[in-house]
Amino acid sequence: MNKDEFRQWGYRFVDWVADYFENVGQYPVRPAIQPGDIKKRLPEEAPIQGEPMEAVFADFQEIIVPGMTHWQHPSWFAYFSANNSPPSVLAELLTAGMGAQCMIWETSPAAAELEEVVLEWLRKLLGLPEGLSGVIQDTASTASLVAMLTAREQVTGFEANRRGLKEPLLVYVSEEAHSSVEKGAKIAGFGRENVRMIPTDAAFAMIPEELERALVSDKDRGLQPACVVATLGTTSSSAIDPLKPIGRICRRHKVWLHVDAAYAGNAAILPEKRWIFDGAEFVDSLVFNPHKWMLTNFDCSAYYVKDEGALIRTFEIHPEYLKTGVDAVVKNYRDWGIQLGRRFRALKLWFVLRSYGVEGIQAMIREHIRLAQLFKEWVEAHGSFEVMAPVPLSLVCFRLNDGRPEEELDRINRELLTRLNQTGRLLLTQTILKGKYVIRMAIDSHTTDEQHVRNAWDLIRETGAALLSKAQV
Ligand SMILES: *Cc1c(COP(=O)(O)O)cnc(C)c1O
């Protein structure tokens, strides 16, 4: 592609993205296709000769776009969102254009220093304690793995990464913790069997007394606790583990406390939601995802650690070809995580924070929370639906319930979800809470407004009513 073509196509693609932003609500949220449908339409071999962009772009529009699930759709209520935004996308274009590797300060000085600055901005915005050092990780999953590896080294006096694990180390999480924590424990050498699932209360939050009991009982048996992971905003129901009592317990038992606040952490940008992080003074490490609820396109996880020395000691390696004259006075983020090569993710975060300002982001999150409370009230007021968990933020867990036996309720709610999603007019996902099948309505897309939520509720009500009347016959 020559430089004139690049310029022309660049303009066209920006137009395409701008149109997409405007029209994304007109696509079915999830495509009605079967496994293999896309592969069938793609050649088995790469082209030997280069093709014109016209042909590539035509296939993108004809094959790829209709086969996509549209995460930026205003009726996206599934999982949690992965919000992007115009300034974030533009910054990503610049990042790709510069194509820099941000592994050490010398390979991209501005990237290293901007990363430090925007993470300090975010730390203050969320009311997190001074002395936490930030670094951007690709995902919360990676960040939690990094936390567990650091905890492992600290508890073994940095012997585990020299000689391997001598004895089992234990990780404590609530039974509602994200699967990435179990995955992290599995691959960090702890072993899945050494993950203790701590029971939760009626609001699906970890019970601190149960954590204490598990720690004491394991220590009495001569076992070595290494890490507690508290979840602020569980994926199933957005339950918020009580950080302060958990933190006190961790301090007393000298156990690393990692906090997974992937979704809910973003809400602490609101003064009225700062309480989420009450107890943050006890935290050893913490992650939240601007790529979920802060308008920064995937991927971008903000990871904070109290003892940056312990983190660096866990990951650093000093081959000759990476030594520079300024290593003593700069941050070389290659030592702050798993990979060497790093993308320039701070740029999009900077563009987003400057474009929206704190107030812009607060307004969006506040509106999502308002809409979720509204939706919750509608569900509560309806005779055949019920709310299944507290709604501290913007996720509502609910189900259809007309009083029939539990097994039938599970079946009928599965059917309801299938029918709703088949319409392509919205997308919802499910979870299990204390054994019960529940539908999740996560309202956290930047394109969603009240009308989308009203339309969703109308569709849910009507589909539910149709199901119940049919089930009675
Ligand atoms: C979404 C989520 C994760 C996983 O986030 P990734 O960045 O995709 O790894 C982890 N924990 C919680 C609580 C989440 O909601």
Side-chain angles (χ1 to χ4, degrees):
M1 178 178 275
N2 67 38
K3 62 184 194 307
D4 289 336
E5 283 173 324
F6 175 75
R7 202 174 288 279
Q8 280 164 15
W9 281 105
Y11 292 134
R12 261 183 85 177
F13 285 4
V14 169
D15 279 340
W16 186 89
V17 176
D19 289 344
Y20 182 77
F21 284 162
E22 273 173 42
N23 303 326
V24 60
Q26 287 160 25
Y27 292 89
V29 188
R30 195 175 60 186
I33 60 171
Q34 297 304 314
D37 280 356
I38 304 297
K39 275 196 283 190
K40 263 196 304 233
R41 303 186 59 189
L42 299 170
E44 277 175 25
E45 312 292 338
I48 301 297
Q49 263 135 29
E51 299 178 61
M53 184 52 69
E54 201 69 62
V56 181
F57 188 48
D59 284 348
F60 166 75
Q61 291 176 288
E62 272 165 42
I63 303 172
I64 304 300
V65 179
M68 291 299 289
T69 299
H70 297 283
W71 280 72
Q72 307 306 318
H73 197 290
S75 298
W76 178 271
F77 304 113
Y79 312 102
F80 289 122
S81 296
N83 281 296
N84 67 7
S85 64
S88 181
V89 170
L90 291 175
E92 198 72 295
L93 177 64
L94 302 180
T95 295
M98 290 188 288
Q101 275 287 353
C102 307
M103 48 205 188
I104 53 181
W105 181 88
E106 199 164 270
T107 62
S108 299
E113 296 190 14
L114 185 65
E115 183 160 339
E116 195 175 335
V117 169
V118 291
L119 284 173
E120 263 302 281
W121 286 5
L122 280 182
R123 182 189 65 72
K124 291 179 196 161
L125 287 179
L126 268 49
L128 295 170
E130 266 177 58
L132 286 179
S133 310
V135 57
I136 300 178
Q137 305 282 357
D138 52 8
T139 60
S141 307
T142 301
S144 293
L145 173 61
V146 163
M148 281 183 262
L149 290 168
T150 312
R152 184 189 80 183
E153 290 315 308
Q154 206 183 48
V155 76
T156 60
F158 297 86
E159 280 294 293
N161 67 18
R162 200 163 67 88
R163 295 190 301 180
L165 271 186
K166 280 276 161 65
E167 49 175 15
L169 296 175
L170 303 180
V171 182
Y172 302 76
V173 302
S174 97
E175 58 195 7
E176 292 289 325
H178 191 262
S179 60
S180 60
V181 176
E182 196 177 339
K183 187 175 180 179
K186 174 174 130 171
I187 59 184
F190 293 93
R192 279 168 98 164
E193 282 181 11
N194 295 313
V195 179
R196 297 279 188 263
M197 300 282 183
I198 307 300
T200 55
D201 61 19
F204 310 103
M206 187 192 285
I207 302 171
E209 294 74 20
E210 295 283 351
L211 172 65
E212 169 82 31
R213 190 171 316 159
L215 283 164
V216 169
S217 135
D218 284 332
K219 280 178 144 181
D220 284 350
R221 288 158 59 208
L223 296 169
Q224 177 71 65
C227 184
V228 171
V229 181
T231 312
L232 306 182
T234 59
T235 311
S236 275
S237 72
S238 75
I240 294 170
D241 290 347
L243 195 53
K244 197 162 239 167
I246 292 174
R248 289 211 180 92
I249 293 167
C250 290
R251 175 132 330 158
R252 196 152 12 87
H253 288 278
K254 299 195 176 58
V255 183
W256 185 283
L257 173 58
H258 173 61
V259 168
D260 175 1
Y263 150 78
N266 294 281
I269 198 170
L270 301 177
E272 66 270 27
K273 295 295 174 187
R274 281 279 171 86
W275 58 265
I276 291 171
F277 283 130
D278 276 354
E281 64 275 19
F282 295 109
V283 161
D284 291 292
S285 57
L286 177 152
V287 63
F288 83 96
N289 283 350
H291 72 224
K292 273 189 169 145
W293 207 9
M294 215 178 258
L295 298 162
T296 308
N297 65 281
F298 190 85
D299 50 358
C300 182
S301 281
Y303 178 64
Y304 292 91
V305 63
K306 189 186 270 175
D307 182 353
E308 91 180 38
L311 173 74
I312 292 169
R313 218 174 139 190
T314 301
F315 291 98
E316 73 186 344
I317 222 111
H318 289 296
E320 184 54 35
Y321 50 81
L322 288 177
K323 285 182 184 156
T324 73
V326 292
D327 287 349
V329 292
V330 298
K331 294 202 169 175
N332 288 323
Y333 286 120
R334 61 139 200 250
D335 296 329
W336 292 59
I338 293 165
Q339 79 243 49
L340 170 63
R342 304 176 75 250
R343 303 192 334 103
F344 188 1
R345 299 189 185 87
L347 193 73
K348 57 190 175 184
L349 200 46
W350 190 51
F351 272 47
V352 166
L353 289 167
R354 292 188 61 185
S355 298
Y356 289 90
V358 177
E359 287 180 358
I361 297 167
Q362 287 175 329
M364 178 194 72
I365 293 181
R366 213 173 252 138
E367 175 65 1
H368 288 152
I369 293 173
R370 184 187 75 83
L371 293 175
Q373 301 305 320
L374 199 61
F375 183 85
K376 173 183 157 232
E377 285 165 23
W378 297 337
V379 175
E380 279 171 344
H382 193 288
S384 303
F385 284 91
E386 61 177 337
V387 174
M388 299 297 285
V391 184
L393 298 169
S394 70
L395 170 66
V396 185
C397 293
F398 69 98
R399 68 172 182 175
L400 196 55
N401 183 356
D402 63 346
R404 65 187 70 211
E406 279 301 330
E407 321 80 68
E408 268 190 61
L409 284 180
D410 275 15
R411 191 183 52 72
I412 215 157
N413 277 285
R414 276 174 209 277
E415 179 62 23
L416 174 61
L417 184 71
T418 304
R419 288 195 190 185
L420 287 168
N421 288 342
Q422 266 166 2
T423 66
R425 287 163 59 193
L426 48 59
L427 196 71
L428 296 155
T429 45
Q430 79 289 346
T431 191
I432 305 276
L433 288 175
K434 307 258 185 224
K436 292 176 183 160
Y437 185 91
V438 168
I439 300 176
R440 296 169 73 265
M441 170 99 178
I443 305 174
D444 57 349
S445 284
H446 70 111
T447 50
T448 302
D449 64 27
E450 186 169 327
Q451 196 53 50
H452 302 112
V453 178
R454 283 187 185 278
N455 293 347
W457 177 232
D458 288 345
L459 187 66
I460 293 165
R461 263 191 309 110
E462 286 156 18
T463 313
L467 250 176
L468 289 183
S469 65
K470 194 179 135 240
Q472 255 138 30
V473 182

